[in-house]
Amino acid sequence: MTLWTSADIAAATGGAASGAFTASGVAFDSREVGEGDLFVALKGETTDGHRFLDQAFAQGAAGALVSDASAHPHVRVADTSEALNALGRAARARMGGTVIGVTGSVGKTSAKEALWAALERAAPGAAHRSLKSYNNHVGVPLSLSRMPRDTRFGVFEMGMNHAGEIAALTRLVRPHVAIITWVTSAHIEFFKSEEGIADAKAEIFQGLEPGGTAILPRDNRHFERLLAAAKLHTDRIVTFGRSDDADVRALEAMRVPAGQFVTTRVGERELSFTLAQPGAHWVMNALAVLAAVDAAGGDLGLAGLALAELNGMPGRGERTLVEAGEGQALLIDESYNANPASVRATLAVLAEEPGRRIAVLGEMRELGHQSEALHAELAEPVLAARAELILLVGEAMAPLAHALERKANVVHVPDTATATERLRAELRAGDAVLVKGSNGVGLSRLVAALRNGA
């Protein structure tokens, strides 16, 4: 499939093509270049993509977007970062379908994946989304540039850790539907208050297309603030949550062997479905998804089927069995990221698991001067999870270790390598192990070691 021709790229970016070529994909990481891709040679503070042009073409690149001279097929521009933005804008402009933007302090990647799965059911092969957590100033235009012309539904995640970042991203995406999953203290290090985080998340509404829909979490304590921000850009506002006045609300959710059986009300309609993922936070994700599917003109019945088959993602709730003694243990992989709200949510999931429970918790980062207090405040949900072993990883976990002293079986270790050794020594058949921490802690290495039996 031809995604871009060299002429298209030159027209979109204002660059000059060295000759004719066609590209079926776009990549900026030379290690991820595939056959037929356009390689975007970005210049950063520590590296320069132009150094990897030979590698990219050896792996099958069809052409490159460059700002320096090159002997390879290319389109040359003044600035490759700006050109990537321009390519993303061109992809968005030529797409005639419905675009949905997702942000939030927690749940945005999970909601994005669930929403894509629901829309893919309605339009097989014609739904597109940003891969992984490509949600920043590079990932968003890259994801846009990868969107085929005939896409019916495009779903894009937008993240930030400073004010103004989402405003720039949403003007690239120009969503018809904009979702805020939740607002909490993630990245509080870079803000004076949670209200500042709410304002930064609400920037997503600045890019709404005329007549677009804003989707808000009714139960969030910043709801009124988010609502006021949304009203500046649209009259079409849909709320979700457990509140009686939410437009999309959960009537009932019960744990079943396949996950959860959930009954919801979407406007005047009632919908019951099985949700593969456990946990109250996943019920909220599902409500946001249903609200967005409805706003985008999708099929709610097919969305329910998609939610029933939704598997957890690596680092975000994936559940696997690993070798443990003479049998197996359940591993719940939440190693990608952590903030106070997400840790509480996943500890509640652990509390429902049968057998001996083990919590491996890495420190939470980007919490600034509130770090000590926010770590210590996790003592209550940790104790409520009734874990027989609590393995705390990282220096910032010291306040929580102190708060749990003499109340639980706590082991505080400095790093992931030590945690892995300790967990290997403790793990038994039938255990349920939750692994949760900020990505920088590196608990994904612990997860990989358990899965590989290393």
Side-chain angles (χ1 to χ4, degrees):
M1 180 194 71
T2 298
L3 182 64
W4 295 101
T5 67
S6 53
D8 291 335
I9 298 165
T13 63
S18 64
F21 64 85
T22 62
S24 55
V26 184
F28 68 83
D29 186 334
S30 59
R31 296 165 297 183
E32 297 181 358
V33 170
E35 192 71 31
D37 278 354
L38 172 72
F39 174 59
V40 183
L42 296 176
K43 291 185 177 182
E45 293 181 2
T46 59
T47 190
D48 182 348
H50 293 82
R51 293 169 46 203
F52 304 99
L53 283 166
D54 289 344
Q55 177 184 336
F57 279 90
Q59 291 177 204
L65 194 57
V66 300
S67 57
D68 297 345
S70 173
H72 296 289
H74 65 268
V75 173
R76 189 170 182 180
V77 296
D79 184 310
T80 50
S81 294
E82 288 301 318
L84 180 59
N85 282 337
L87 200 62
R89 282 192 291 269
R92 173 65 182 87
R94 71 183 185 180
M95 178 264 203
T98 300
V99 175
I100 303 166
V102 184
T103 194
S105 300
V106 292
K108 55 184 176 291
T109 301
S110 297
K112 177 258 296 181
E113 290 293 319
L115 181 53
W116 173 81
L119 295 171
E120 175 70 11
R121 281 273 184 155
H128 174 80
R129 91 284 204 192
S130 46
L131 297 179
K132 302 181 181 179
S133 288
Y134 283 170
N135 61 21
N136 64 7
H137 66 288
V138 176
V140 170
L142 176 74
S143 298
L144 283 166
S145 71
R146 290 172 165 176
M147 181 168 57
R149 185 189 303 268
D150 59 355
T151 298
R152 285 183 54 193
F153 298 105
V155 187
F156 298 93
E157 177 183 342
M158 289 173 257
M160 63 90 203
N161 52 25
H162 290 85
E165 292 177 343
I166 288 179
L169 298 177
T170 191
R171 290 188 173 97
L172 282 175
V173 174
R174 294 192 291 114
H176 299 94
V177 180
I179 306 168
I180 295 179
T181 58
W182 197 253
V183 174
T184 188
S185 53
H187 309 301
I188 192 68
E189 177 182 359
F190 306 112
F191 293 87
K192 293 180 180 180
S193 65
E194 257 190 34
E195 286 74 15
I197 296 174
D199 292 342
K201 295 298 183 183
E203 290 171 12
I204 194 173
F205 304 130
Q206 295 177 19
L208 268 176
E209 289 287 87
T213 302
I215 297 178
L216 306 177
R218 184 63 183 86
D219 304 331
N220 192 264
R221 74 184 189 91
H222 301 291
F223 171 73
E224 294 297 336
R225 195 178 193 93
L226 299 176
L227 179 63
K231 284 182 175 179
L232 296 175
H233 303 281
T234 183
D235 295 327
R236 299 183 62 181
I237 296 170
V238 177
T239 62
F240 68 92
R242 293 186 178 275
S243 300
D244 290 341
D245 58 349
D247 300 309
V248 180
R249 67 183 187 274
L251 302 178
E252 184 179 23
M254 65 178 70
R255 187 71 184 267
V256 295
Q260 302 182 81
F261 186 75
V262 184
T263 301
T264 63
R265 184 169 293 281
V266 183
E268 299 302 317
R269 294 156 293 175
E270 192 168 297
L271 177 68
S272 295
F273 57 93
T274 299
L275 176 59
Q277 295 299 309
H281 62 300
W282 258 106
V283 175
M284 292 299 104
N285 286 341
L287 294 177
V289 166
L290 293 177
V293 168
D294 194 43
D299 187 307
L300 290 176
L302 292 177
L305 292 175
L307 291 168
E309 296 179 355
L310 193 69
N311 295 319
M313 296 173 290
R316 293 184 172 86
E318 187 173 56
R319 301 161 75 90
T320 55
L321 295 175
V322 298
E323 293 182 7
E326 298 299 316
Q328 294 179 313
L330 172 65
L331 175 64
I332 306 171
D333 177 15
E334 289 277 359
S335 61
Y336 184 77
N337 217 340
N339 57 55
S342 65
V343 173
R344 289 171 182 269
T346 51
L347 283 168
V349 171
L350 179 65
E352 297 179 353
E353 297 298 334
R356 190 177 74 137
R357 290 175 287 276
I358 299 174
V360 182
L361 304 177
E363 63 187 27
M364 303 176 293
R365 297 185 175 177
E366 297 186 352
L367 298 180
H369 71 276
Q370 297 188 36
S371 179
E372 288 191 12
L374 291 172
H375 278 89
E377 288 170 6
L378 291 178
E380 182 180 348
V382 167
L383 292 171
R386 295 172 289 121
E388 293 191 29
L389 172 64
I390 301 154
L391 193 54
L392 304 180
V393 187
E395 182 180 350
M397 275 297 188
L400 178 57
H402 179 72
L404 293 170
E405 196 173 8
R406 294 188 295 274
K407 297 178 182 178
N409 181 18
V410 178
V411 177
H412 185 199
V413 299
D415 52 44
T416 293
T418 309
T420 303
E421 291 179 10
R422 184 59 186 258
L423 183 59
R424 277 203 204 98
E426 296 280 352
L427 199 60
R428 303 200 300 251
D431 286 350
V433 184
L434 168 67
V435 180
K436 179 74 171 173
S438 285
N439 195 36
V441 180
L443 289 179
S444 60
R445 297 193 297 273
L446 179 149
V447 170
L450 290 184
R451 285 178 176 160
N452 297 332

